[in-house]
Amino acid sequence: MSSTNDQPEVPSADEMDQGLAFESVIGNVLRGWTVAKGADGACTTSAPGAVRLIWLRHLGRDGVIAEPEEDSDIWRDDAPDRLQLQAGDILLSEVVTGRPKAAIVQESDLPAVAVGSILVLRPALPLSPEHARLLLAFLRSDTVGDLAVGTLQKHIRPKDLATLQPPADDEALSAALDELDVARRRMSEWSADAATLADTVFDRGTSLVEARRSIIAAGRLTRLRAEAAAALDDPDYIVRTRLPYPVALRWREVEARMSAGDRRPAYDAVIDAAEVLLAYSALVTAALACEAGIELASVTAVQRKLSATSGGPGFGEWASILTEIRGKKRRGVRPDHPLHELGAFFDDDATDRARIRLADRRNDKSHGRAPTDVMLPAVLDEAHADLRCLLASARFLADLTLIHVMAVVWDDFQGAETIRFRGLMGDHPVVPTSAMQHTGDRVETGSLYLADRDHRLYRLRPFLTCEVCETCHSWSTFHADKVKGTLVQKSLEHGHYYPYRGNEQVLRAARLL
């Protein structure tokens, strides 16, 4: 017997024992039964054999079952053993309004029985926490919600669940969902802290002046958290503080020039920032492809530029690398490899068109066809908008940390390295040194690496190197370039160049020469 709401009639114990079993691709599905407070069999939480009744209202949108409440929860001591929940069971709302609700049963939720409009899904095999998280996300999706049928109230029928193919275990997707859940819980804790602080302002009978002073001091951290979070709604702030140093620094110059009304320097800064964004992304792509054993024809074109011509790679070569990696070349790499996000850089048509327009403006600038003073205001606005479009699509770079390895200490007993590094994210290279444990391939002191979300490291040398610039004495990142037949290294941050200081044999080993 089941109900379409949480205020059902009271059944007998015999009726409760007649739960119907269904088989589905997700597991065994049991239909619960309905009871009301005060019915025969109701008891206190401390009674022998007491079992908590879980209703639809107890299922949280976050996949968690609400904790027991002494005043409103119902407990029974006559629940059949075969209907009692087990840790790992998944509870799904049978009645659907909007998206379905689903939650997983934990040991702390037991003993309990699901009642009312709840379907119980029991996996045939134990699920890992990661796989369970994916199933919860799937069951809360529109894909499952669209199965609901009915006029006044829509219900999910257990037999219809058998038509679904639940997601297989996917470590990368599960990790991404976990990161999102951690962020949600942290923000919920901050919200609770603010509410608690507001409720206690007059607890000690303080005066208005003292209360104001107390609330300002105690709430300072909460306000700073809110202000920092609000700043992230500003895309310019994200670029300036969260994107890799070469890109963020170039954007800071664009902002400074635009705010000062220096149109000609601002236009040059916009074009240069776009080229550096593509150069950085392409060089990282080339380094990752080399490490993965993927041959890119576009990198061979860069090799020809560095080996045989008077001019080095430019906007066109960088765009070609990023365009080529969009195709099938990355098919064999694991799903969470950074090459997939780099390959999706130009997937949006608006981004691709913006890239083409900026490339045309870069060519015009190089060949003396810069906009006239009359045309400049409109052209600058268009180029600036195109640059922002590119940067919006490149926001994934905020999750791929550029690091400079300062020191490496090997522990032979643990079989791991302790790496001290600087995270070069944001528009300034002077940052604190951090430490991390690493158990992969040996790491080079002094080299640049890319760290993904799971702290896997990818060496960027010789595609990207770093040192103090001999021209401006600022810490800078460099790539190999060619000027008037001479191999040079060129700074992404400032455009300064001088003879290549690295080992050319390494460039040959990486197929750049």
Side-chain angles (χ1 to χ4, degrees):
M1 182 186 302
S2 70
S3 170
T4 58
N5 55 58
D6 278 351
Q7 300 297 329
E9 296 179 358
V10 182
S12 66
D14 290 338
E15 289 178 309
M16 294 190 301
D17 194 38
Q18 296 173 0
L20 301 178
F22 299 87
E23 188 68 20
S24 82
V25 294
I26 302 177
N28 297 319
V29 183
L30 301 175
R31 187 183 297 272
W33 75 95
T34 58
V35 295
K37 196 167 186 177
D40 292 339
C43 64
T44 63
T45 60
S46 58
V51 173
R52 181 191 180 198
L53 306 186
I54 295 180
W55 303 85
L56 186 58
R57 60 185 171 83
H58 291 126
L59 306 190
R61 291 289 179 186
D62 56 358
V64 176
I65 297 172
E67 294 183 358
E69 296 181 1
E70 184 176 348
D71 294 337
S72 60
D73 278 0
I74 304 173
W75 295 73
R76 296 283 295 251
D77 59 6
D78 58 349
D81 290 342
R82 72 180 187 85
L83 294 183
Q84 294 196 26
L85 298 175
Q86 299 177 13
D89 286 349
I90 295 177
L91 308 185
L92 174 66
S93 55
E94 180 186 22
V95 175
V96 177
T97 54
R99 289 176 178 267
K101 295 201 302 184
I104 190 164
V105 178
Q106 307 291 345
E107 286 287 353
S108 58
D109 299 317
L110 302 177
V113 176
V115 295
S117 304
I118 296 178
L119 299 175
V120 182
L121 288 68
R122 180 163 297 160
L125 296 173
L127 300 174
S128 67
E130 294 77 19
H131 196 188
R133 187 179 298 117
L134 288 186
L135 285 176
L136 284 179
F138 173 72
L139 292 170
R140 293 195 295 256
S141 69
D142 287 335
T143 301
V144 175
D146 290 342
L147 294 176
V149 295
T151 51
L152 297 178
Q153 282 188 322
K154 291 189 174 184
H155 295 251
I156 296 176
R157 297 176 300 186
K159 66 178 182 179
D160 292 332
L161 292 176
T163 65
L164 294 175
Q165 182 62 46
D169 197 2
D170 186 293
E171 183 179 349
L173 178 56
S174 179
L177 287 173
D178 185 54
E179 290 174 355
L180 194 62
D181 190 53
V182 169
R184 178 196 58 79
R185 290 199 304 268
R186 182 173 297 172
M187 287 187 283
S188 295
E189 291 169 1
W190 293 347
S191 176
D193 289 346
T196 300
L197 185 61
D199 289 342
T200 59
V201 62
F202 288 116
D203 280 0
R204 295 176 179 83
T206 56
S207 67
L208 293 178
V209 174
E210 291 171 335
R212 178 180 178 276
R213 185 182 300 113
S214 173
I215 206 71
I216 289 175
R220 185 168 291 115
L221 180 58
T222 298
R223 295 196 311 276
L224 289 174
R225 285 168 174 165
E227 291 171 8
L232 291 174
D233 288 331
D234 178 5
D236 297 348
Y237 177 85
I238 294 176
V239 176
R240 192 168 59 250
T241 61
R242 302 300 302 165
L243 262 58
Y245 171 61
V247 177
L249 183 65
R250 288 287 188 169
W251 176 248
R252 185 179 73 175
E253 183 177 358
V254 169
E255 286 188 309
R257 297 293 187 183
M258 292 289 291
S259 64
D262 299 333
R263 287 175 178 164
R264 185 68 61 181
Y267 181 73
D268 292 342
V270 166
I271 301 301
D272 290 343
E275 182 164 4
V276 166
L277 171 61
L278 264 60
Y280 175 83
S281 303
L283 288 163
V284 167
T285 298
L288 297 183
C290 182
E291 183 264 348
I294 300 173
E295 292 189 12
L296 298 177
S298 49
V299 175
T300 303
V302 172
Q303 178 195 87
R304 288 195 295 268
K305 281 267 189 176
L306 294 176
S307 300
T309 64
S310 58
F315 206 109
E317 285 72 31
W318 307 136
S320 294
I321 292 174
L322 293 168
T323 300
E324 184 176 0
I325 202 63
R326 292 174 69 182
K328 301 177 181 179
K329 293 292 182 71
R330 66 182 195 274
R331 178 177 293 173
V333 299
R334 65 177 188 277
D336 58 343
H337 197 284
L339 279 175
H340 293 297
E341 291 178 289
L342 288 158
F345 194 167
F346 299 147
D347 278 359
D348 180 69
D349 289 340
T351 303
D352 207 27
R353 290 193 298 269
R355 185 262 305 176
I356 293 170
R357 287 192 295 268
L358 286 167
D360 291 340
R361 297 190 193 282
R362 182 71 178 89
N363 290 335
D364 288 343
K365 180 173 177 259
S366 299
H367 293 87
R369 297 190 296 268
T372 65
D373 290 343
V374 175
M375 300 166 52
L376 186 57
V379 171
L380 174 58
D381 288 344
E382 292 170 2
H384 185 249
D386 284 341
L387 173 60
R388 295 188 65 163
C389 181
L390 281 184
L391 288 167
S393 293
R395 199 169 295 174
F396 64 89
L397 292 175
D399 292 329
L400 303 175
T401 307
L402 176 65
I403 70 171
H404 177 214
V405 176
M406 308 293 293
V408 180
V409 178
W410 172 257
D411 187 322
D412 210 22
F413 287 98
Q414 293 185 348
E417 296 169 320
T418 298
I419 300 171
R420 296 194 64 79
F421 66 93
R422 295 185 302 148
L424 299 170
M425 305 298 282
D427 60 11
H428 204 287
V430 180
V431 294
T433 301
S434 303
M436 66 179 290
Q437 294 290 316
H438 177 67
T439 57
D441 296 335
R442 298 299 292 268
V443 175
E444 301 173 350
T445 300
S447 289
L448 291 173
Y449 282 81
L450 194 76
D452 68 10
R453 295 176 184 84
D454 295 318
H455 307 295
R456 285 185 287 255
L457 300 183
Y458 306 85
R459 185 181 59 205
L460 300 181
R461 186 177 72 95
F463 297 89
L464 273 175
T465 59
C466 59
E467 62 182 62
V468 175
C469 178
E470 294 181 6
T471 302
C472 64
H473 305 291
S474 298
W475 192 93
S476 305
T477 56
F478 291 87
H479 67 89
D481 200 5
K482 201 72 172 285
V483 175
K484 296 180 181 179
T486 301
L487 184 66
V488 300
Q489 55 189 43
K490 181 180 178 182
S491 164
L492 287 176
E493 290 80 9
H494 309 288
H496 299 151
Y497 63 88
Y498 45 83
Y500 189 76
R501 304 302 188 199
N503 187 343
E504 293 187 17
Q505 292 298 328
V506 178
L507 292 179
R508 291 187 176 90
R511 299 183 180 179
L512 280 173
L513 279 180

